[in-house]
């Protein structure tokens, strides 16, 4: 069992290298645990998925992986490829993240394209074909490896907890993490609820919930310094993610920039320092707690990036 640890320095680290921090004081009546996946070396919770894709690509004889990213997956893939001696091409929307500086420093070739994430995905698929490289995108041919990597967080929680949690709060994005977590939880027989959170009005899973999945008009989304990694008008695996959340009895929540900033600030006393976007899952939990007045049981919040 993990006990309350007020600072990151003393927080227990699991076998996968990221801590689980007891932040029960954040919400009355509930036990709140922060799974700080931003503590991977790349700063991204997508690092296990990137490692799994690279391992599969190497086994199949590929020498380069090509992906699209808003930032997090690009950093994770750049690091995973560098560690494996694999070449990496990352396609990034112009002006997003740090412009690709971190990824370049990690050895990746960065290509900037006009438009948003969806345009970057299209460009990355063309490049993968042209360069005889593997398409490492989350919905590409190694999608099962992506799911395998994202499911690692459930294995870590299973090792840490003596009983299933009441709910897991995670960023909803393309829906990939949601699907992977749902599969792993069901394989364990855990009846836990999955709640997805993303930028209000800027993700089609959020705007569609609880109805039928519908993409957003490309010009309907708005990026800011705080929500940028969360914005997309088409979630690549949105319908499947919505079905997974519904199967657990969970919900989808949208939060604004002020709530992202508030959630990040709330984590400082616990030694967790994600970006505002990386704190999106906690922002959803806090917003929900304000509406309902209280929560009960054990709630685990996934921090996704720094």
């Amino acid at each position: 069992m993990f006990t309350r640890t007020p600072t990151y320095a003393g927080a227990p680290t699991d076998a996968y290298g990221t801590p689980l921090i007891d932040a029960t004081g954040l919400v009355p009546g509930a036990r709140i645990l922060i799974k700080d996946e931003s503590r991977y070396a790349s700063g991204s919770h997508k690092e296990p998925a990137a490692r799994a894709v690279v391992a599969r690509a190497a086994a199949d004889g590929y020498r380069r992986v090509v992906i699209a990213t808003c930032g997090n997956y690009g950093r994770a893939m750049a690091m995973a490829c560098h560690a494996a001696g694999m070449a990496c091409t990352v396609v990034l929307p112009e002006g997003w993240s740090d412009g690709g500086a971190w990824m370049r420093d990690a050895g990746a070739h960065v290509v900037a394209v006009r438009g948003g994430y969806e345009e970057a995905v299209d460009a990355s698929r063309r490049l993968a074909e042209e360069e005889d490289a593997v398409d490492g995108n989350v919905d590409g041919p190694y999608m099962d490896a992506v799911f395998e990597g994202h499911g690692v967080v459930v294995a870590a929680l299973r090792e840490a907890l003596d009983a299933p949690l009441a709910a897991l709060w995670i960023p909803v994005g393309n829906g990939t993490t949601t699907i992977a977590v749902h599969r792993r939880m069901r394989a364990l027989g855990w009846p836990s609820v999955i709640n997805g959170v993303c930028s209000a009005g800027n993700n089609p899973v959020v705007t569609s919930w609880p109805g039928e999945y519908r993409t957003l008009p490309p010009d309907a989304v708005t990026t800011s310094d705080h929500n940028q990694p969360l914005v997309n008008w088409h979630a690549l695996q949105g319908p499947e993610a919505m079905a997974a959340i519904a199967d657990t009895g969970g919900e989808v929540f949208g939060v604004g920039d002020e709530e992202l900033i508030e959630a990040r600030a709330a984590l400082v006393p616990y030694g967790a320092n994600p970006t505002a976007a990386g704190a999106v899952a906690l922002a959803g939990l806090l917003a929900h707690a304000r509406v309902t007045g209280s929560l009960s049981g054990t709630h685990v919040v996934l921090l996704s990036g720094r």
Side-chain angles (χ1 to χ4, degrees):
M1 289 292 294
F2 285 91
T3 57
R4 181 167 185 175
T5 308
T7 62
Y8 170 73
T13 299
D14 61 35
Y16 303 92
T18 61
L20 189 64
I21 304 167
D22 196 319
T24 296
L26 284 174
V27 176
R31 183 185 185 207
I32 308 298
L33 300 175
I34 306 297
K35 191 70 172 76
D36 192 357
E37 299 285 274
S38 75
R39 303 311 302 185
Y40 281 113
S42 65
S44 169
H45 80 292
K46 298 183 178 183
E47 191 164 317
R51 292 176 188 170
V53 169
V54 169
R56 188 74 59 81
D60 288 347
Y62 285 99
R63 301 182 64 182
R64 179 178 294 274
V65 177
V66 183
I67 64 159
T69 185
C70 295
N72 277 340
Y73 193 36
R75 290 195 302 275
M77 188 60 74
M79 177 159 283
C81 285
H82 178 75
M86 180 91 63
C88 178
T89 298
V90 174
V91 184
L92 181 73
E94 274 184 354
W96 286 41
S97 188
D98 60 357
W102 196 102
M103 298 168 230
R104 289 190 188 92
D105 288 346
H109 174 56
V110 179
V111 177
V113 297
R114 291 186 177 181
Y117 172 72
E118 291 77 11
E119 286 72 24
V121 171
D122 290 342
S124 71
R125 287 175 175 148
R126 291 193 297 270
L127 281 173
E129 186 173 350
E130 292 169 6
E131 298 179 1
D132 193 28
V134 67
D135 172 0
N137 286 302
V138 296
D139 64 340
Y142 290 166
M143 181 170 57
D144 58 333
V146 175
F147 288 143
E148 176 188 331
H150 278 307
V152 159
V153 67
V154 179
L157 293 174
R158 178 66 182 85
E159 290 180 6
L161 302 175
D162 58 359
L165 50 148
L168 177 63
W169 296 74
I170 58 179
V172 75
N174 274 318
T176 314
T177 304
T178 303
I179 298 167
V181 165
H182 176 254
R183 290 182 180 181
R184 188 66 70 92
M185 281 188 169
R186 286 296 176 258
L188 289 175
W190 276 15
S192 308
V193 166
I194 298 174
N195 291 319
V197 191
C198 203
S199 177
N202 293 305
N203 176 278
V205 173
V206 175
T207 56
S208 298
W209 184 267
E212 181 182 352
Y213 175 83
R214 289 189 173 87
T215 60
L216 290 165
D219 59 356
V221 297
T222 303
T223 60
S224 71
D225 290 340
H226 305 297
N227 73 6
Q228 193 179 79
L230 305 171
V231 174
N232 53 331
W233 56 263
H234 173 41
L236 297 179
Q237 291 156 330
E240 297 91 340
M242 291 175 67
I245 292 169
D247 181 60
T248 70
E251 297 182 66
V252 177
F253 300 87
V255 294
D257 280 11
E258 290 186 4
E259 291 165 305
L260 294 176
I261 295 167
E262 174 193 359
R264 179 176 60 182
L267 289 163
V268 171
Y270 299 94
N273 297 286
T275 60
V280 65
L282 179 62
L285 181 148
L286 294 177
H288 180 59
R290 280 194 294 268
V291 172
T292 60
S294 66
L295 297 173
S296 61
T298 299
H299 292 250
V300 174
V301 176
L302 177 66
L303 304 187
S304 55
R306 72 174 194 271

